[in-house]
Amino acid sequence: MYDPIAIKKVAEKRALDRTSQMMIEKTIEDGVETAWDRLQAQQPQCGFGQLGLCCNNCSMGPCRIDPFGGTPTRGVCGATADTIVARNLLDDLAVGAASHSDHGREVVETLLHTAEGKAQGYQITDAAKLHLIAEEYGIPTEGRDDAAIAGDLARGMLEEFGSIKNRIQLVDRAPEKTRTVWQNLNITPRGVDREVVEAMHRVHMGVDADYLNILLHAMRTSLSDGWGGSMMATDCSDILFGTPTPVRSWVNLGTLSRDKVNIVLHGHNPVLSEMILKAVEEPAAKEAARAKGAAGINLVGMCCTGNEVLMRHGIPIAGTILDQELAIATGAVEVMVIDYQCIFPSITATASCYHTKVVATSEKSKVPGSIYKEFRPETALDTAREIVGMAIENFAARDPNRVRIPDRPVQVMAGFSEEAIRKALGGTYKPLIDAIVAGTIKGVVGVVGCNNPKIREDSGHIALGRELIRRNILVVETGCAAIASGKAGLLVPEAADLAGDGLKAVCKALGIPPVLHMGSCVDCSRILVMAAHVADELGVGIGDLPLGGAAPEWYSQKAIAIGTYFVSSGVYTVLGVPPKIFGSQNVLSLLASQLTGVVNASFAVEPDPVKAADLLEAEIDRKRQALGI
Ligand code: XCC
Ligand code: SF4
């Protein structure tokens, strides 16, 4: 029926990781469709769309601009290529910023409900962090109980979304020099929701037509995410569930269990995943699983919510966005619980080929074919118990003849929050700064973002990560990039052997990996805070530091927001997948070069990981030279 060698070849082309390859083979054998098949079915993809030259904003359109300088040169309303490309970019970026920040809002609301005693199963775990942040907000802490402080902080943070103060408090964490750059450009974010709403206003027909003005607002909107919504998501998650510290665990599709009930947590918000974890750990749940003939319950994560529970509790992680369909294809998943973002609407079709149940939990993210169990703070633990019960119940429906779980998980060390990194260094960034000044470590690069079926899964992340550490550049990671590195064995202290001599020596001395897992995508805010601390110790701006960013395999609008707040904060960022801006020479040259004169950073597009490493190293050298080191 099928040719095993041909199938193997297809799988090898699609993914780098062996366990992912094995499951891709199984999807082909089982006749189960995946994102790679759907990408193929989409060929050729629209050339206007790829260049950003298609506008579908109003019903005089859709309009498109001739990319070769012919006609049409304007949409029906008169919009030019520059306007359309910039507007589309702002639109995408605002969607990404909204996703991060709305997730942040839900965590802050959970903190509020917890403070008011209305949230079932939640508690304040990191009171020290609560106090520190309360002080930033000018909230009195002396002699007050944590619930009262948390209530004030949550209300203060919720106010930031529709603020009338015209200023987001957490922006003050940025070094003064960086903040001055924003002030001079008039891009200091005023409120989290406000920037997104204004972005929506500006992309309406007949509003902002000036590409430069549109892009400046894109920068402001991105800052409201990075230094606003995402930072609040990270901070309040730490307050509620604990600030991560180094932890050992396992990664890849081999983390699924042959003899236990498998529950996969997929999505983004720890508000959900933490409660499922709690429910799984209850003795009654374990007993119920055993009564059904299972050896226990195996909880694994996927995508960023997986990163959240990996960072804080060492829960194993099954994979990245491209592994979601593959996990189901093992035939061993009883329940996949989802909240929102990066969830392929196709997983219910995949699940219908096996016994897997997909459980949707967010009122704003329903997927046809899933079972809906609304998750609310007041009844969180009860709902979590119900979902776990459903998984246990479903164990009997598993068909052992259709189960194939690949060997075997790879060890990782995760949990490198900003606080944990500082602690590993002895409480201050001085040792890191000394190593950078001495040249033992050349600089630091944040490798972040997604997988994209257009690129062999994980190959961009891994090639770039290896190349950077070889050149004595410390790598910090979040999101699917970090999961990819885990699968490839880069997240363990032993991986220091792959690093250049300087970085290797530092890692060995501290017992840390050369690639540090800093968390989920909203935790890119941890990278900002770390950069701010280092800049403050040196008395410079973030744009002066020998730092870089990269998103080798990004797909998501959220990645556009992250890349833009990196660049706006002064961090040069290389994209491995071209953004849809090549239809406008003006937009391209602004983002890829002119910005350097303004924020001392820009974007670059380079699909080749070795060349991307060259670019990042050159930028780090440029900044080292300017610092006189
Ligand atoms: Fe999604 Fe966050 Fe991208 Fe992975 S890295 S594909 S956004 S899960 Ni965040
Ligand atoms: Fe066409 Fe202008 Fe409407 Fe866009 S906004 S669809 S370019 S008429």
Side-chain angles (χ1 to χ4, degrees), residues 267-268 303-304 321 341-342 449-451 479-481 520-521 555-556 558:
H268 280 79
C303 285
C304 282
I321 174 163
Q341 299 168 23
C342 304
C450 327
N451 290 128
C480 289
S520 64
C521 285
Y555 90 88
S556 151
K558 292 177 285 174

Side-chain angles (χ1 to χ4, degrees), residues 55-63 75-79 84 87 203 205-206:
C55 182
N56 203 6
N57 282 8
C58 83
S59 75
M60 292 189 280
C63 303
V76 176
C77 67
I84 292 175
R87 219 163 45 183
V203 301
M205 198 299 284

Side-chain angles (χ1 to χ4, degrees), residues 453-511:
K454 291 177 177 174
I455 294 180
R456 186 183 184 212
E457 186 189 11
D458 301 343
S459 64
H461 296 302
I462 301 316
L464 179 62
R466 281 175 163 261
E467 206 46 48
L468 291 171
I469 60 172
R470 197 177 64 75
R471 300 176 192 209
N472 291 313
I473 296 168
L474 175 69
V475 174
V476 294
E477 297 196 329
T478 62
C480 289
I483 304 171
S485 289
K487 289 194 249 175
L490 297 180
L491 297 187
V492 284
E494 299 76 53
D497 290 330
L498 302 168
D501 288 342
L503 177 60
K504 180 173 161 180
V506 174
C507 290
K508 296 255 164 179
L510 297 173

